[in-house]
């Protein structure tokens, strides 16, 4: 059998409930839902970090961010009661990245969209991609979604007003149509749905009408909360969105869904669909507590930048040859799992000397079970969304969070309390101690950097 093509669609800041198939009643995603119906939906999939760059590094390396040393979104600076924790500002070139491994096995490798893993010496071309369209040091389209974008790795002669998500999809479709016959790895990390929240006029009108039709204009969308714990925003308050009702954000998702549909149809038209593995997921949870708070992750707690479920649980869909269709999987998975998984699906063993934190979830894709294992997170930063530095572990249905400001822990049983509303650390004291020991052992193993007290605070 020929090696399968691989298409990895990575969305920026898409929350766990931002798809209809994951429970949204305001957003509309018929094409992504159709993809979900043809493949496997993971209900308990996790990003390896609640912000973007570390999760993207995990995807490229199969390692946890703490092991790489890239634990913050690149360009981020923060301090509060704790000092700023140092982190590396690029994906190291010595990493044998996923595209390098696939290219060495004969794959064409294409990156179309957001990179945000270092300045020019560390761009996608240096990490195994034959083609780089739109990938640079930027974390979002700073000049907006309508051309001119000012992104150095995109041409500057694009007609004014072209929408970025449409353009990137056009370029990805072009690569598929022009492929030379060798299998391809298309990494399509859209800038959407990251801020600025901007949509095409006709899409916006659709959801403004739906907003009124659903009487969402009668519901207060926000709740003002506590002051931010980070010093650079200490005069501002956390603002939590209570309901999915932002018409512009809904319109961005609608456009994104349309573009996913166009990409899938292009694969069909080229006769490549039946030999293509498609992965759709997000780099972290939805933005729900700051910077306009465009979405709501309820029933999950909080969102992007937080260690709670809303910050790290993400939508995940996989479809393609060998993947069980019309299936739902509730086994927890994490971002670094995709490196060994895609190598296995492509018939490629990992290098014996290469350390991977992720494990192949190919058995799950085939409808089999896998042994229980712990999943870990380490985000020793404040970020911009209101969370405080935290590390966490999930084992079985239990999740423990260790907060570095005062070293207190919280324990939740997600099988009974998906919203993380009831801290069980007192009732299950021995279990909390055991999980915290497991977490501390892992932090030592990966040589994680621990934030220090700020004596000036």
């Amino acid at each position: 059998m020929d090696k399968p093509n691989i298409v990895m669609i990575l969305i920026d800041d898409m929350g766990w409930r931002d798809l209809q198939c994951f429970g949204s009643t305001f957003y509309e995603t018929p094409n992504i839902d159709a993809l979900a119906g043809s493949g496997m939906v993971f209900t308990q999939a996790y990003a390896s970090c609640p912000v973007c760059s570390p999760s993207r590094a995990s995807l490229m390396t199969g390692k946890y961010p703490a092991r790489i040393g890239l634990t913050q979104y690149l360009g981020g600076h923060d301090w509060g009661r704790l000092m700023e924790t140092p982190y590396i500002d690029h994906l190291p070139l010595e990493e044998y990245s996923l595209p390098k491994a696939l290219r060495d096995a004969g794959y064409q490798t294409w990156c179309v969209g957001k990179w945000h893993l270092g300045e020019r010496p560390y761009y996608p071309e240096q990490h195994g991609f034959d083609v780089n369209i739109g990938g640079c040091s930027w974390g979002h389209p700073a000049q907006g979604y309508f051309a001119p974008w000012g992104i150095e790795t995109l041409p500057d002669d694009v007609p004014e007003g072209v929408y970025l998500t449409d353009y990137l999809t056009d370029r990805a479709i072009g690569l598929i149509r022009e492929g030379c016959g060798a299998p391809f790895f298309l990494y399509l990390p859209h800038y959407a749905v990251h801020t600025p929240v901007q949509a095409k006029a006709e899409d916006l009108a659709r959801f403004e009408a739906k907003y009124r039709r659903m009487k969402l204009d009668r519901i207060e969308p926000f709740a003002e909360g506590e002051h931010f714990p980070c010093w650079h925003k200490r005069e501002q308050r956390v603002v939590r969105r209570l309901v999915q009702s932002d018409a512009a954000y809904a319109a961005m998702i609608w456009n994104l869904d349309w573009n996913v549909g166009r990409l899938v149809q292009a694969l069909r038209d080229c006769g490549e669909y039946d030999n293509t593995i498609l992965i759709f997921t997000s780099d972290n949870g939805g933005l729900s507590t700051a910077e306009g708070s465009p979405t709501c992750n309820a029933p999950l707690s909080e969102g992007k930048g937080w260690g709670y479920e809303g910050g790290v649980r993400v939508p995940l869909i996989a479809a393609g040859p060998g993947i069980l269709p019309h299936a739902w999987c509730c086994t927890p998975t994490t971002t670094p799992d995709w490196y060994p998984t895609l190598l296995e699906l492509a018939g490629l063993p990992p290098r014996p000397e290469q350390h991977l934190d992720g494990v192949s979830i190919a058995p799950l894709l085939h409808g089999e079970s896998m042994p229980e294992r712990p999943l870990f997170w380490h985000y020793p930063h404040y970020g911009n969304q209101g969370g405080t530095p935290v590390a966490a572990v999930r084992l079985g249905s239990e999740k423990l969070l260790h907060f570095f400001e005062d070293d207190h822990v919280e324990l939740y049983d997600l099988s009974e309390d998906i919203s993380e509303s009831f801290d069980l650390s007192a009732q299950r004291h021995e279990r909390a101690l055991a999980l915290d020991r497991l977490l501390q052992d892992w932090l030592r193993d990966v040589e994680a950097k621990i934030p220090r007290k700020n004596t000036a605070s």
Side-chain angles (χ1 to χ4, degrees):
M1 179 180 174
D2 293 337
K3 288 186 174 66
N5 305 312
I6 300 168
V7 175
M8 169 67 73
I9 305 172
L10 184 67
I11 310 305
D12 198 351
D13 290 359
M14 175 168 272
W16 183 66
R17 269 193 66 242
D18 283 359
L19 303 174
Q20 282 180 291
C21 59
F22 276 81
S24 179
T25 57
F26 185 52
Y27 312 147
E28 299 178 17
T29 52
N31 293 291
I32 299 170
D33 291 355
L35 181 65
S38 69
M40 180 172 287
V41 176
F42 290 78
T43 61
Q44 299 190 62
Y46 289 98
S48 59
C49 188
V51 295
C52 62
S53 299
S55 292
R56 292 162 189 269
S58 277
L59 182 61
M60 290 294 109
T61 63
K63 300 178 182 180
Y64 279 120
R67 189 180 299 278
I68 305 167
L70 203 169
T71 52
Q72 175 67 304
Y73 70 93
L74 298 189
H77 297 284
D78 62 278
W79 58 90
R81 291 173 60 188
L82 300 174
M83 296 291 291
E84 182 172 17
T85 302
Y87 63 94
I88 63 172
D89 62 358
H90 60 276
L91 182 63
L93 296 178
E94 57 267 27
E95 293 288 348
Y96 189 59
S97 65
L98 177 60
K100 286 179 183 176
L102 292 172
R103 187 177 65 181
D104 288 351
Y107 274 77
Q108 305 170 83
T109 54
W110 310 324
C111 178
V112 183
K114 173 177 170 175
W115 181 242
H116 204 199
L117 286 174
E119 298 286 345
R120 179 167 287 280
Y122 306 100
Y123 275 12
E125 303 93 315
Q126 280 71 52
H127 284 284
F129 283 105
D130 301 319
V131 173
N132 171 30
I133 299 172
C136 63
S137 62
W138 287 22
H140 67 286
Q143 295 178 201
Y145 279 88
F146 296 95
W149 307 295
I151 297 172
E152 63 174 288
T153 48
L154 292 179
D156 56 12
D157 59 351
V158 176
E160 185 173 349
V162 171
Y163 196 65
L164 181 58
T165 310
D166 298 349
Y167 178 83
L168 294 175
T169 305
D170 286 343
R171 296 296 302 271
I173 289 172
L175 290 168
I176 292 170
R177 288 176 174 164
E178 297 163 11
C180 66
F184 59 80
F185 170 46
L186 168 60
Y187 177 48
L188 182 54
H190 275 293
Y191 283 90
V193 289
H194 196 292
T195 57
V197 177
Q198 297 175 341
K200 295 193 284 188
E202 62 271 24
D203 296 339
L204 179 58
R206 175 188 183 91
F207 287 95
E208 287 176 337
K210 185 173 184 178
Y211 171 80
R212 294 187 294 270
R213 189 168 64 251
M214 291 180 65
K215 297 181 172 55
L216 293 172
D217 53 340
R218 303 180 184 181
I219 301 173
E220 172 55 49
F222 301 112
E224 187 175 76
E226 70 277 15
H227 284 281
F228 279 88
C230 50
W231 280 17
H232 69 284
K233 297 180 71 173
R234 62 186 180 275
E235 301 302 323
Q236 304 176 40
R237 290 183 177 273
V238 174
V239 177
R240 294 176 171 87
R241 180 170 282 274
L242 306 175
V243 62
Q244 292 183 346
S245 61
D246 188 310
Y249 186 79
M252 289 184 77
I253 290 177
W254 171 256
N255 171 267
L256 177 68
D257 177 82
W258 174 69
N259 278 294
V260 170
R262 291 203 301 131
L263 184 77
V264 171
Q265 187 59 49
L267 289 167
R268 294 185 188 278
D269 293 343
C270 294
E272 297 288 356
Y273 179 79
D274 290 336
N275 192 41
T276 299
I277 295 166
L278 290 114
I279 312 298
F280 179 97
T281 191
S282 178
D283 61 349
N284 49 249
L287 178 59
S288 64
T289 61
E291 300 156 345
S293 308
T295 197
C296 175
N297 301 308
L300 304 185
S301 177
E302 308 299 7
K304 176 184 179 179
W306 297 71
Y308 294 110
E309 290 290 283
V312 292
R313 194 182 291 208
V314 293
L316 173 60
I317 298 165
I323 298 175
L324 193 67
H326 320 297
W328 292 74
C329 180
C330 60
T331 302
T333 65
T334 184
T335 307
D337 292 339
W338 282 109
Y339 188 114
T341 301
L342 293 177
L343 290 188
E344 180 173 342
L345 295 177
L348 306 172
R351 288 182 171 184
E353 73 278 9
Q354 185 180 18
H355 179 91
L356 298 177
D357 291 311
V359 302
S360 174
I361 59 170
L364 299 179
L365 297 173
H366 303 328
E368 304 166 14
S369 62
M370 290 182 63
E372 186 176 87
R373 62 185 169 124
L375 302 183
F376 297 99
W377 295 267
H378 179 56
Y379 186 54
H381 308 283
Y382 286 95
N384 284 319
Q385 294 80 33
T388 62
V390 64
V393 58
R394 174 172 175 171
L395 181 59
S397 64
E398 293 176 312
K399 178 182 171 187
L400 179 129
L401 299 98
H402 183 119
F403 294 90
F404 290 113
E405 280 195 336
D406 57 6
D407 287 321
H408 87 276
V409 300
E410 298 175 7
L411 177 66
Y412 299 98
D413 189 333
L414 298 176
S415 66
E416 302 172 352
D417 179 24
I418 194 174
S419 301
E420 294 169 295
S421 300
F422 306 104
D423 177 12
L424 301 174
S425 58
Q427 295 96 313
R428 302 184 186 180
H429 180 64
E430 293 302 319
R431 184 60 175 163
L433 287 176
L435 286 174
D436 196 36
R437 283 195 297 269
L438 178 64
L439 177 59
Q440 298 304 322
D441 288 345
W442 174 78
L443 290 171
R444 284 189 290 271
D445 176 64
V446 299
E447 299 181 351
K449 292 182 171 60
I450 308 301
R452 298 179 292 108
K453 300 296 181 183
N454 184 355
T455 57
S457 65

